[in-house]
Amino acid sequence: MSIDAIKTVAVLGAGTMGNGIAHVFARSGYKVILRDVERRFLDRGMEMIGKNLDREIKRRRLRRRRRELFLAGCSL
Ligand SMILES: NC(=O)c1ccc[n+]([C@@H]2O[C@H](COP(=O)([O-])OP(=O)(O)OC[C@H]3O[C@@H](n4cnc5c(N)ncnc54)[C@H](O)[C@@H]3O)[C@@H](O)[C@H]2O)c1
C-alpha cells in the first residue's frame, strides 16, 4: 500500500500529544478520527486544537475561513 493512499488517520488519546498530532494531520489535509476514553477529554482536546488554530490565525499563518475546515476534518 502506498503512503499516498492514506487519507484518514486515527489518533488514540486527545491529550497533549494526541491533540497536537491531530492538529498537524488535519492541517496537512487528512481526515482525523480522534478517540479518548471520556467525552470530556475529547472536548478538551478539540478546544486545544481550536485555540492553536486561533494562534496560527493571529500570527497570519492561517486564514480564518480555513479554521472551520480543519476543525471539521477532526471527527470524534
Ligand atoms: N507530552 C509530551 O511532551 C510527551 C513527549 C514524548 C512522549 N510522550 C508520551 O506520549 C503519551 C501521551 O502523553 P500526553 O502528554 O499526551 O499525555 P496526556 O495525559 O496529556 O494525554 C493522554 C490521553 O490519552 C487518553 N487515553 C488513555 N488511555 C486511552 C485509551 N485506551 N484509548 C484512548 N485514549 C486513552 C487519556 O484519557 C488522555 O486524554 C505518553 O505515553 C507519554 O509518555 C509525551
Side-chain angles (χ1 to χ4, degrees):
M1 180 184 175
S2 154
I3 197 158
D4 294 334
I6 299 170
K7 306 288 180 218
T8 304
V9 298
V11 181
L12 304 181
T16 309
M17 292 298 291
N19 73 59
I21 292 165
H23 177 128
V24 171
F25 272 109
R27 282 283 268 127
S28 303
Y30 291 86
K31 183 178 183 304
V32 179
I33 298 167
L34 190 56
R35 290 279 184 267
D36 207 303
V37 290
E38 285 187 34
R39 178 76 205 202
R40 63 194 171 106
F41 299 137
L42 283 172
D43 290 342
R44 197 174 56 195
M46 288 299 288
E47 194 184 313
M48 281 309 300
I49 293 171
K51 282 183 181 169
N52 289 329
L53 288 170
D54 287 339
R55 193 171 302 137
E56 289 190 77
I57 291 166
K58 215 171 168 180
R59 291 179 183 165
R60 298 178 181 273
R61 288 186 191 153
L62 174 70
R63 290 185 184 184
R64 180 160 297 281
R65 66 172 184 268
R66 293 183 62 97
R67 180 186 189 277
E68 299 314 312
L69 189 74
F70 291 130
L71 276 178
C74 295
S75 60
L76 308 178

